[in-house]
Every structure is written in structure tokens, then in C-alpha cells.
Amino acid sequence: AQKITQTQPGMFVQEKEAVTLDCTYDTSDPSYGLFWYKQPSSGEMIFLIYQGSYDQQNATEGRYSLNFQKARKSANLVISASQLGDSAMYFCAMRDFNTNAGKSTFGDGTTLTVKP
Amino acid sequence: KAGVTQTPRYLIKTRGQQVTLSCSPISGHRSVSWYQQTPGQGLQFLFEYFSETQRNKGNFPGRFSGRQFSNSRSEMNVSTLELGDSALYLCASSLAAGGPATNEKLFFGSGTQLSVL
């Protein structure tokens, strides 16, 4: 069964500094995708970044990068140069290729607060 | 391009009633999935529809049902509401090529906040 674990309920970071949000996962499917989503207080989830299990390089999208360590089953999100607008809840999610068509499994989320 | 639209935004019901939530996906998106979000349980997968067929279902009782229309719009229904059904219900759409895929990012609506009294 798929499982996503986010061990940091809340994180604080100073504006302009970098922050790493942790995510570990578990699956028996060799082909899977990992995602990070951001949920501001308005409630709408926003896609940030994607990493495929067979991708050789870590994914990057602007200030977001994904530190993918396959052997450790971890997919940490790194936000560089934090901005006040980055304050939100962040969810790590996974999608298997073979076993769970159409289903994404989410972690419990990490609330990030950026301090001015 | 318009985003995912969910209606209504807020809903207050009493125990025992039933409720229908609506979701209009992004134009061209063929997959619609539903999630229940609560502070205690996080985001829980309800079901996913592709081309009017339910492809996957989460571990929810039969009181939770859904459907998808030929224009990809989707509805979910909860019958005999219980206090524990109070939650934010999120709908998400994706392009969905048809077969299983790992890289389908989800586009979410703003959700329907359901309160059961």
C-alpha cells in the first residue's frame, strides 16, 4: 500500500532563507510519481513540482527543487529564498503506475510560516 | 482557461440529510477525483472518474457516491449525513491520457466546506 509520511507538522523560516520540508514514502510499485502541492489559507491546492521514480536528475521549478533519494525513499522539498507568500501548508503526494490508477495519496502536510 | 469550479463554496446541513456537490473540471480534462480534507485525517481519497467510469475508490462507506457526466463534470453525493462528514471536499481534475500514469498533476478547485450540525 502507498504511504506518505511528513514528520514536520510546522516549520518556521526567516524571509530570504532556504527551507527543507521532509517527505518519505513507501510503495511496492517500481514506477511512481512524487508531487508537492501548496495549500494557502484560501484552501485551493496548487501543484509545485513533480519527480518520476525513473528520473535521473532532481526536479527543479524556479525556487522549488526536489531532493530525491530513491534508496532512502525520500523526496524532500527545498524552497530557496523564502518569501512571505510562501507561508502555507505543503503536501507531499504519490501516484503509483500499476496499482492505483487515478489515485493520489497525500501526507498529513507541513505548515510553513515565513517570518519577516 | 477557467480553473476547476466547485459549487457551492459553503454548505450547512443537518444530520440525516443528503447533499450533492458539483465540480466542473478544466476544459479538456477527462479525469476528476474527489478528496475529503479534515484536520484529523488529512486528505483522504474518495473516488476518481475517467470518461464517466469510476476507476478507483477509497475506503469510504457506501453513503458516499459520485458520477461523471459526458462533459466531464462530476457530482458527489453523501446520503444520511453524519457529524463526522463535516469537512472540506476538494475536487481535482487532470488531463489523463487514458491509461495509468504517474505524472498526472492535479488541478484543484477551491473546495466545498460542508458543515453537518
Side-chain angles (χ1 to χ4, degrees), chain B:
Chain B
K1 217 177 202 182
V4 178
T5 304
Q6 287 188 250
T7 55
R9 186 72 177 91
Y10 300 95
L11 207 49
I12 299 175
K13 292 286 187 179
T14 56
R15 278 184 300 172
Q17 287 187 310
Q18 78 163 28
V19 67
T20 299
L21 312 181
S22 179
C23 173
S24 293
I26 291 172
S27 177
H29 283 194
R30 299 162 70 186
S31 167
V32 173
S33 50
W34 289 88
Y35 291 82
Q36 181 195 66
Q37 185 176 18
T38 59
Q41 298 295 318
L43 270 149
Q44 301 290 316
F45 173 76
L46 281 155
F47 26 66
E48 187 259 3
Y49 289 87
F50 174 80
S51 292
E52 302 178 67
T53 300
Q54 187 183 86
R55 288 200 297 190
N56 211 330
K57 188 178 189 308
N59 295 324
F60 278 83
R63 299 185 297 107
F64 291 81
S65 63
R67 59 178 175 168
Q68 186 181 33
F69 302 96
S70 58
N71 61 358
S72 293
R73 191 176 71 84
S74 177
E75 288 181 347
M76 70 161 279
N77 184 278
V78 188
S79 62
T80 319
L81 283 166
E82 300 178 0
L83 296 178
D85 297 334
S86 295
L88 178 66
Y89 290 87
L90 292 167
C91 165
S93 73
S94 64
L95 200 54
T102 64
N103 61 349
E104 288 178 13
K105 62 184 181 184
L106 299 175
F107 295 82
F108 284 84
S110 298
T112 294
Q113 183 67 54
L114 172 64
S115 297
V116 182
L117 306 178

Side-chain angles (χ1 to χ4, degrees), chain A residues 5 13 24 28 30 35 52 60 65 80 108:
Chain A
T5 303
V13 65
T24 58
S28 56
F35 304 77
T60 59
S65 60
S80 63
D108 290 338

Side-chain angles (χ1 to χ4, degrees), chain A residues 36-40 42 44-49, chain B residues 106 108:
Chain A
W36 278 91
Y37 292 89
K38 172 184 178 182
Q39 187 178 40
S42 59
E44 186 171 334
M45 301 268 282
I46 303 163
F47 165 79
L48 294 178
I49 196 167
Chain B
L106 299 175
F108 284 84

Side-chain angles (χ1 to χ4, degrees), chain A residues 86-100:
Chain A
D86 293 334
S87 293
M89 195 146 191
Y90 290 80
F91 289 93
C92 181
M94 154 183 278
R95 201 174 178 102
D96 283 349
F97 182 84
N98 290 313
T99 56
N100 287 293

Side-chain angles (χ1 to χ4, degrees), chain A residues 62-92:
Chain A
R63 294 187 299 110
Y64 304 108
S65 60
L66 202 151
N67 184 359
F68 181 47
Q69 298 187 45
K70 194 170 182 177
R72 294 186 177 184
K73 293 191 173 180
S74 75
N76 299 338
L77 177 70
V78 180
I79 305 175
S80 63
S82 297
Q83 302 172 355
L84 296 178
D86 293 334
S87 293
M89 195 146 191
Y90 290 80
F91 289 93
C92 181

Side-chain angles (χ1 to χ4, degrees), chain A residues 95-116:
Chain A
R95 201 174 178 102
D96 283 349
F97 182 84
N98 290 313
T99 56
N100 287 293
K103 175 183 177 181
S104 293
T105 298
F106 287 79
D108 290 338
T110 296
T111 301
L112 176 67
T113 303
V114 180
K115 295 180 175 180

